[in-house]
Amino acid sequence: MQSVEYEKGLLVQAVWRLARSSDTNELLAVGCALRNWIIRRGPLSPGQKYFSNYTEAIAEFMETYPLRSLPKINEPALIDPREGLLARIDGIYDCSAVDLASSHVNTQGARYFGAAREIGSGSKFDREVLSNQGAHPLIGTFGSLQFYV
């Protein structure tokens, strides 16, 4: 196994555990949001943080966001040969897949995601994103999560 495959495995695990549903679009959007912490597209804004690799980004997200348990090995959203996370993770990792969590207005894509219903909860997501939507506008909803710049 090479380091690239190791990182892809970590990315699959992180995407699954950070997503809150098995919706394929939600899984892919979470993967794209993670990628947007590593791949910089456009100028670096003051105070904007980037990671040098997926391993570092994943470690921080896994400590910050709520997690769900890993899927069973026969979970369709994981193993579907065309739409499953395992079939689509290469495109997220190597940037050949379109960033689902970007728009024509926000081409750098989403870097934050969570449920809008967390507003007022005092969570880190609430404090940093929901309470500061001028700096973190909503890009869209995929599955059960909202994605923000």
Short mmCIF file of all heavy atoms in Angstrom, two decimals, residues 48-71:
data_model
loop_
_atom_site.label_atom_id
_atom_site.label_comp_id
_atom_site.label_asym_id
_atom_site.label_seq_id
_atom_site.Cartn_x
_atom_site.Cartn_y
_atom_site.Cartn_z
N GLN A 48 -6.89 32.68 6.68
CA GLN A 48 -7.45 31.44 6.15
C GLN A 48 -6.43 30.32 6.27
O GLN A 48 -5.28 30.47 5.89
CB GLN A 48 -7.85 31.63 4.69
CG GLN A 48 -8.79 30.57 4.19
CD GLN A 48 -9.38 30.94 2.83
OE1 GLN A 48 -8.74 31.60 2.04
NE2 GLN A 48 -10.58 30.49 2.59
N LYS A 49 -6.87 29.22 6.81
CA LYS A 49 -5.99 28.09 7.09
C LYS A 49 -6.14 27.02 6.01
O LYS A 49 -7.23 26.76 5.52
CB LYS A 49 -6.39 27.50 8.45
CG LYS A 49 -5.59 26.33 8.90
CD LYS A 49 -6.06 25.87 10.27
CE LYS A 49 -5.24 24.73 10.79
NZ LYS A 49 -5.67 24.31 12.12
N TYR A 50 -5.02 26.42 5.66
CA TYR A 50 -5.00 25.26 4.77
C TYR A 50 -4.11 24.20 5.38
O TYR A 50 -3.21 24.51 6.15
CB TYR A 50 -4.47 25.63 3.37
CG TYR A 50 -5.51 26.29 2.51
CD1 TYR A 50 -5.66 27.67 2.52
CD2 TYR A 50 -6.36 25.54 1.72
CE1 TYR A 50 -6.64 28.27 1.74
CE2 TYR A 50 -7.33 26.13 0.94
CZ TYR A 50 -7.46 27.50 0.96
OH TYR A 50 -8.43 28.09 0.20
N PHE A 51 -4.36 22.95 5.01
CA PHE A 51 -3.55 21.84 5.48
C PHE A 51 -2.67 21.36 4.34
O PHE A 51 -3.04 21.47 3.17
CB PHE A 51 -4.44 20.70 5.98
CG PHE A 51 -5.25 21.06 7.19
CD1 PHE A 51 -6.54 21.52 7.07
CD2 PHE A 51 -4.69 20.96 8.45
CE1 PHE A 51 -7.29 21.86 8.18
CE2 PHE A 51 -5.43 21.30 9.57
CZ PHE A 51 -6.73 21.75 9.43
N SER A 52 -1.54 20.77 4.67
CA SER A 52 -0.64 20.30 3.63
C SER A 52 -1.02 18.92 3.10
O SER A 52 -0.54 18.50 2.05
CB SER A 52 0.80 20.29 4.14
OG SER A 52 0.92 19.41 5.23
N ASN A 53 -1.89 18.20 3.82
CA ASN A 53 -2.32 16.88 3.36
C ASN A 53 -3.66 16.51 3.99
O ASN A 53 -4.12 17.16 4.92
CB ASN A 53 -1.26 15.82 3.65
CG ASN A 53 -0.92 15.75 5.12
OD1 ASN A 53 -1.78 15.49 5.95
ND2 ASN A 53 0.34 15.98 5.47
N TYR A 54 -4.27 15.47 3.45
CA TYR A 54 -5.58 15.02 3.94
C TYR A 54 -5.51 14.53 5.38
O TYR A 54 -6.43 14.73 6.16
CB TYR A 54 -6.13 13.91 3.04
CG TYR A 54 -6.73 14.42 1.76
CD1 TYR A 54 -5.98 14.49 0.60
CD2 TYR A 54 -8.05 14.83 1.71
CE1 TYR A 54 -6.53 14.96 -0.59
CE2 TYR A 54 -8.61 15.30 0.53
CZ TYR A 54 -7.84 15.37 -0.61
OH TYR A 54 -8.38 15.84 -1.78
N THR A 55 -4.43 13.87 5.74
CA THR A 55 -4.31 13.30 7.08
C THR A 55 -4.47 14.37 8.15
O THR A 55 -5.18 14.18 9.13
CB THR A 55 -2.96 12.57 7.22
OG1 THR A 55 -2.87 11.59 6.19
CG2 THR A 55 -2.84 11.89 8.56
N GLU A 56 -3.83 15.52 7.95
CA GLU A 56 -3.93 16.62 8.93
C GLU A 56 -5.33 17.20 8.97
O GLU A 56 -5.87 17.45 10.05
CB GLU A 56 -2.92 17.72 8.58
CG GLU A 56 -1.48 17.32 8.76
CD GLU A 56 -0.52 18.40 8.26
OE1 GLU A 56 -0.97 19.48 7.84
OE2 GLU A 56 0.69 18.14 8.29
N ALA A 57 -5.93 17.42 7.82
CA ALA A 57 -7.28 17.98 7.77
C ALA A 57 -8.29 17.04 8.42
O ALA A 57 -9.14 17.46 9.22
CB ALA A 57 -7.68 18.27 6.33
N ILE A 58 -8.17 15.76 8.10
CA ILE A 58 -9.09 14.76 8.64
C ILE A 58 -8.98 14.71 10.16
O ILE A 58 -9.99 14.66 10.87
CB ILE A 58 -8.82 13.38 8.00
CG1 ILE A 58 -9.31 13.40 6.55
CG2 ILE A 58 -9.47 12.26 8.79
CD1 ILE A 58 -8.81 12.24 5.72
N ALA A 59 -7.77 14.74 10.69
CA ALA A 59 -7.57 14.68 12.14
C ALA A 59 -8.30 15.83 12.82
O ALA A 59 -8.98 15.63 13.84
CB ALA A 59 -6.09 14.70 12.48
N GLU A 60 -8.20 17.03 12.25
CA GLU A 60 -8.87 18.18 12.88
C GLU A 60 -10.39 18.07 12.79
O GLU A 60 -11.09 18.33 13.75
CB GLU A 60 -8.40 19.49 12.25
CG GLU A 60 -9.03 20.68 12.94
CD GLU A 60 -8.26 21.96 12.76
OE1 GLU A 60 -7.01 21.95 12.88
OE2 GLU A 60 -8.92 22.97 12.52
N PHE A 61 -10.90 17.66 11.63
CA PHE A 61 -12.35 17.53 11.48
C PHE A 61 -12.91 16.45 12.40
O PHE A 61 -13.99 16.61 12.96
CB PHE A 61 -12.71 17.23 10.03
CG PHE A 61 -12.93 18.47 9.21
CD1 PHE A 61 -11.85 19.23 8.79
CD2 PHE A 61 -14.20 18.88 8.88
CE1 PHE A 61 -12.05 20.38 8.04
CE2 PHE A 61 -14.41 20.02 8.12
CZ PHE A 61 -13.33 20.78 7.71
N MET A 62 -12.19 15.35 12.54
CA MET A 62 -12.67 14.25 13.39
C MET A 62 -12.70 14.66 14.87
O MET A 62 -13.46 14.10 15.64
CB MET A 62 -11.81 13.00 13.18
CG MET A 62 -11.82 12.48 11.77
SD MET A 62 -13.32 11.62 11.29
CE MET A 62 -12.91 9.98 11.81
N GLU A 63 -11.89 15.62 15.25
CA GLU A 63 -11.91 16.11 16.63
C GLU A 63 -12.97 17.19 16.85
O GLU A 63 -13.40 17.40 17.96
CB GLU A 63 -10.54 16.69 17.00
CG GLU A 63 -9.45 15.66 17.13
CD GLU A 63 -8.09 16.27 17.40
OE1 GLU A 63 -8.01 17.50 17.63
OE2 GLU A 63 -7.11 15.52 17.38
N THR A 64 -13.39 17.86 15.78
CA THR A 64 -14.26 19.02 15.88
C THR A 64 -15.74 18.68 15.67
O THR A 64 -16.60 19.19 16.36
CB THR A 64 -13.84 20.10 14.86
OG1 THR A 64 -12.46 20.41 15.08
CG2 THR A 64 -14.67 21.35 14.98
N TYR A 65 -16.02 17.85 14.68
CA TYR A 65 -17.39 17.58 14.28
C TYR A 65 -17.94 16.33 14.97
O TYR A 65 -17.18 15.43 15.32
CB TYR A 65 -17.45 17.36 12.76
CG TYR A 65 -17.44 18.64 11.95
CD1 TYR A 65 -16.25 19.32 11.69
CD2 TYR A 65 -18.62 19.15 11.41
CE1 TYR A 65 -16.25 20.48 10.93
CE2 TYR A 65 -18.62 20.30 10.65
CZ TYR A 65 -17.44 20.97 10.41
OH TYR A 65 -17.44 22.11 9.66
N PRO A 66 -19.29 16.26 15.10
CA PRO A 66 -19.88 15.01 15.61
C PRO A 66 -19.68 13.89 14.60
O PRO A 66 -19.67 14.14 13.39
CB PRO A 66 -21.36 15.35 15.77
CG PRO A 66 -21.59 16.62 15.04
CD PRO A 66 -20.28 17.29 14.83
N LEU A 67 -19.51 12.68 15.09
CA LEU A 67 -19.22 11.53 14.24
C LEU A 67 -20.29 10.46 14.39
O LEU A 67 -20.85 10.28 15.46
CB LEU A 67 -17.86 10.93 14.60
CG LEU A 67 -16.66 11.87 14.55
CD1 LEU A 67 -15.44 11.18 15.12
CD2 LEU A 67 -16.42 12.36 13.14
N ARG A 68 -20.51 9.73 13.32
CA ARG A 68 -21.37 8.55 13.40
C ARG A 68 -20.49 7.32 13.23
O ARG A 68 -19.31 7.41 12.88
CB ARG A 68 -22.48 8.60 12.36
CG ARG A 68 -22.01 8.53 10.92
CD ARG A 68 -23.20 8.58 9.98
NE ARG A 68 -22.75 8.59 8.59
CZ ARG A 68 -23.48 8.16 7.59
NH1 ARG A 68 -24.69 7.69 7.82
NH2 ARG A 68 -23.02 8.20 6.37
N SER A 69 -21.06 6.16 13.46
CA SER A 69 -20.27 4.94 13.38
C SER A 69 -19.99 4.58 11.92
O SER A 69 -20.63 5.07 10.99
CB SER A 69 -21.00 3.78 14.08
OG SER A 69 -22.24 3.55 13.47
N LEU A 70 -19.01 3.71 11.75
CA LEU A 70 -18.64 3.25 10.41
C LEU A 70 -19.75 2.38 9.82
O LEU A 70 -20.51 1.75 10.56
CB LEU A 70 -17.33 2.47 10.47
CG LEU A 70 -16.09 3.30 10.75
CD1 LEU A 70 -14.90 2.41 11.05
CD2 LEU A 70 -15.79 4.22 9.58
N PRO A 71 -19.84 2.32 8.49
CA PRO A 71 -20.90 1.52 7.86
C PRO A 71 -20.57 0.03 7.86
O PRO A 71 -19.42 -0.36 8.04
CB PRO A 71 -20.90 2.05 6.43
CG PRO A 71 -19.47 2.39 6.19
CD PRO A 71 -18.99 2.97 7.51
#
